[in-house]
């Protein structure tokens, strides 16, 4: 068994769709980033890379590389998972905390889990998505950003 953690934070800004966990969520602002800004998929990608000893998302997909400008983060996660699979690991389960003051994410948790499971090619029961607020504290609490933490358990493919 191998465990990995992932963390990401992106600023909220106008003129962008809000993409979280590979789905678009209706809101008047979106996450600013070189890619689509999907902090959920970025945190999962980093957790999986960390667990398998393959570095981090910034090494694989540099944010100054024009190839990844506006990238679909689902493609980045799929690309990382190919390397994780090649390294001999499969997903056991993952647990994700999405911390946002607004919008309220509770209505979207199941849809996000289903989409993440689809990208990872696992069962929805292996994916836990939890939505929290920051109790109005700090930049996330002021609704200037969305923060994500992920813990993932990987298993050796032949175990
Ligand atoms: Mg990111």
């Amino acid at each position: 068994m191998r465990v990995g953690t992932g963390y990401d934070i992106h600023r909220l800004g106008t003129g962008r769709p809000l993409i979280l966990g590979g789905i678009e969520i209706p809101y008047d602002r979106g996450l600013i980033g070189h890619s689509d800004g999907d902090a959920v998929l970025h945190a999962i990608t980093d957790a999986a890379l960390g667990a398998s000893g393959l570095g981090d998302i910034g090494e694989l997909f540099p944010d100054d590389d024009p190839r990844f400008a506006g990238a679909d983060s689902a493609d980045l996660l799929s690309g990382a998972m190919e390397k994780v699979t090649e390294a001999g690991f499969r997903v056991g389960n993952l647990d994700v905390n999405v911390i946002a003051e607004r919008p309220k994410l509770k209505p979207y948790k199941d849809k996000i889990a289903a989409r993440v499971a689809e990208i990872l090619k696992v069962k929805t029961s292996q994916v836990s998505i939890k939505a929290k607020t920051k109790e109005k504290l700090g930049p996330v609490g002021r609704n200037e950003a969305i923060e994500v933490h992920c813990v993932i358990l990987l298993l050796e493919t032949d175990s």
Side-chain angles (χ1 to χ4, degrees):
M1 289 189 292
R2 304 278 292 243
V3 69
T5 75
Y7 165 81
D8 201 18
I9 185 167
H10 280 255
R11 277 179 197 276
L12 283 161
T14 52
R16 293 174 67 90
L18 177 58
I19 312 286
L20 274 179
I23 68 162
E24 187 170 339
I25 292 169
Y27 195 50
D28 61 356
R29 292 183 291 158
L31 294 173
I32 298 167
H34 184 63
S35 66
D36 61 11
D38 191 331
V40 169
L41 297 190
H42 295 176
I44 294 170
T45 302
D46 247 0
L49 290 172
S52 46
L54 292 171
D56 62 51
I57 189 170
E59 290 170 9
L60 241 62
F61 310 110
D63 66 5
D64 55 1
D65 187 329
R67 281 181 303 160
F68 306 123
D72 180 344
S73 296
D75 293 337
L76 305 185
L77 177 54
S78 295
M81 289 313 294
E82 276 177 34
K83 294 187 185 302
V84 169
T85 304
E86 280 168 25
F89 299 106
R90 63 185 169 87
V91 175
N93 73 296
L94 62 154
D95 191 17
V96 180
N97 282 319
V98 188
I99 310 170
E101 212 63 34
R102 286 280 184 278
K104 289 293 177 198
L105 297 174
K106 196 176 168 193
Y108 304 102
K109 287 192 308 180
D110 290 350
K111 203 171 163 192
I112 291 173
R115 176 61 182 140
V116 168
E118 183 180 45
I119 297 165
L120 293 174
K121 302 189 178 93
V122 300
K123 296 188 196 110
T124 307
S125 60
Q126 288 167 274
V127 181
S128 159
I129 304 289
K130 309 203 296 292
K132 303 185 71 67
T133 74
K134 201 92 173 187
E135 292 289 331
K136 299 194 164 58
L137 293 165
V140 173
R142 288 190 299 270
N143 205 23
E144 297 165 4
I146 291 177
E147 181 179 329
V148 182
H149 301 260
C150 173
V151 172
I152 194 166
L153 185 76
L154 300 183
L155 304 169
E156 286 185 29
T157 308
D158 53 14
S159 69

